[in-house]
Each structure stands twice: as C-alpha cells, then as structure tokens.
Amino acid sequence: MSPLVECRDLHFAYGAAERRRARPFAVAGVSFTIGAEEVVSLIGPNSAGKTTLVRLLTRVLRPTAGEIVLGGRSLADIGPWELARQVAVVPQDVPAAFPFTVEQLVLMARFPYGPHRYFESEDDREAAHEAMAATGILPLAASPLDTLSGGERQRAVLARALAQRPRLLVLDEPTAHLDLRYQAECAALLSRLNREQGVTILLVSHDLDLAARLSDRLLLVVDGRLVRAGTPTEVLDAGALEAAFGCRVVVEPSRDGGPPLVRVGWPEAGRDTVKGRA
C-alpha cells in the first residue's frame, strides 16, 4: 500500500530577517513517509524544525526544493479548498476571548466544503454532530467557549478538526496546556480515534513518553535534519537523545511492557540526579 504522505528530500530556508540570526535555520534534505491509519510523532528540541515541517506539510510554507506527496498527488497540485478537506490542523488552543459556542466553532470546519455558501447544509450539521459526539463534547454544544475548562476547549478544537473529515490529522502540542487528567483523556481520545475511525495522525510533541505511547513511529528532528526514525524503542536511545537535547538522559524499560520511558538527569550539588521527562 502506498503511503498517505511522502516528504521527499525537502529543503527550506527562511528569508533575509531569519538569516541574520547567529545560527540561521534551514530544513535540509528531510525525507519521511506516513502510512494510512498510522500515528507518527515529530520530536526534537526547540527550534529543531518540527513546526516548520508541519507548515510545509499544510502548505503554509512551500519548500525551496523537494516534494511533498499527499495521497499519490503532489501537494503543489492540490487546491486550497481540497487540501483543507484532506488535512486538518489542531493548534495548541484557541483565543480565550473567542466569542462563539462550541457548535459554531465546530461548524467552521465545514467551510472548505462550500466556501461560497452562507448557511450550513444538513451534511455539515451531521458532520459537526458526529465530531462532537466522538470527542465527548456534544452536551456542551451550546456553551460559549470562554466558559469551558482547558480539557473541554481542547476537545472542542479537536472536534472542529474531525468535522473536516480529513485524511490526515495534524496536532501541535495537544497536551501543552493541560493538567495530568486532561492529558490522559486527550491521549486516550486520540488513540481511540485512530483505532476506531482509522484517522491518520501526525503529532508534534515535547512529551516523549506521550509520543511513544501513542505512536507507531517517531521522527527525531535536530537542526532541520531528520536524525533518527523508527519505532519508539528504536528512536528513544539515550545517546541519540543526549546528542539532540544536550542533556543527560536515561532510557528505562516500561514496567507494563509498553515503550521505554525517558528520564532527564538534573544537575544537583555537583552530581546528576535522574528525574522527570526529557
């Protein structure tokens, strides 16, 4: 089976203002694939190129060389409305003062299906209803967004993306502003959507344990280059992570047979102690 997404030898550099930085950033020769119904996570340190790759994949940016193929077609040949029907992006959050209800937010996702219409169709309302039900947010459909908790808002944003009925769901740090309970709920929801609805997912995350739990494969990006790709067990190597993040890292086996756990060594009183996550 052909992959859903193919990134072939991608190159990209920002403009003159970016080049004046002490270390100008560029994507250099990045190639990877994402299979249909696969969950893949982009991991790496800050300013590694994860967000740039997502912007290239969603055509917010265009590569200076190389090609992105979506469903067997070059991304450059896909029109904006069609692309919006095939790829949905879940940002970290929506503005707190966004003056809409949950249902209104979710219905906005249907715009690519009728950009010249003024009113939603029955199919639009059905898609929105199904998306809100899938994310457990349907009872709050009439609630203003500014009355929701952080976890409820995240589910509303995810419902909006699902209402697009995309082939590829891209999530940028979906648990960044959530407490432990809502992180667990978000992870369980994504896993269920992939398992039950066959949604293909590309996840950007600094939470290595979350990425490992959810993903079939990890892509480790450093300085605009893909330095390691494979299963969580293959990628979560202490030496590779120490080189990428610039700190001491310990990788431990999981007690429940899951993917390995990552711990970072914190300097303390002249010696390293192992705590927390990388």
Side-chain angles (χ1 to χ4, degrees), residues 109-236:
R110 302 298 297 171
F111 184 75
Y113 288 87
H116 305 296
R117 293 179 304 171
Y118 290 99
F119 301 100
E120 299 87 6
S121 68
E122 191 60 35
D123 186 56
D124 294 331
R125 294 193 176 278
E126 181 182 346
H129 187 281
E130 290 177 355
M132 289 186 288
T135 55
I137 205 76
L138 186 58
L140 299 174
S143 301
L145 288 167
D146 58 8
T147 66
L148 304 185
S149 68
E152 290 166 342
R153 285 164 60 86
Q154 188 63 30
R155 281 186 283 157
V157 175
L158 181 55
R160 179 182 63 174
L162 291 179
Q164 290 177 234
R165 292 178 173 165
R167 301 179 70 184
L168 175 66
L169 182 63
V170 181
L171 301 104
D172 185 8
E173 293 286 352
T175 62
H177 304 299
L178 303 182
D179 64 23
L180 291 177
R181 171 191 169 187
Y182 289 123
Q183 287 181 36
E185 287 185 359
C186 181
L189 174 58
L190 293 176
S191 180
R192 179 166 56 83
L193 290 171
N194 171 255
R195 183 178 64 254
E196 297 179 1
Q197 299 188 19
V199 178
T200 302
I201 296 175
L202 176 63
L203 177 72
V204 178
S205 182
H206 283 291
D207 188 333
L208 303 187
D209 291 342
L210 171 70
R213 279 280 174 180
L214 287 178
S215 303
D216 300 299
R217 289 186 300 124
L218 303 179
L219 307 176
L220 176 58
V221 180
V222 180
D223 291 334
R225 290 174 169 79
L226 180 60
V227 299
R228 206 173 183 96
T231 65
T233 300
E234 293 169 339
V235 173
L236 297 182

Side-chain angles (χ1 to χ4, degrees), residues 89-124:
V89 179
V90 179
Q92 292 186 19
D93 201 359
V94 294
F98 209 52
F100 297 97
T101 66
V102 170
E103 183 178 33
Q104 288 170 334
L105 174 73
V106 175
L107 281 169
M108 291 177 190
R110 302 298 297 171
F111 184 75
Y113 288 87
H116 305 296
R117 293 179 304 171
Y118 290 99
F119 301 100
E120 299 87 6
S121 68
E122 191 60 35
D123 186 56
D124 294 331

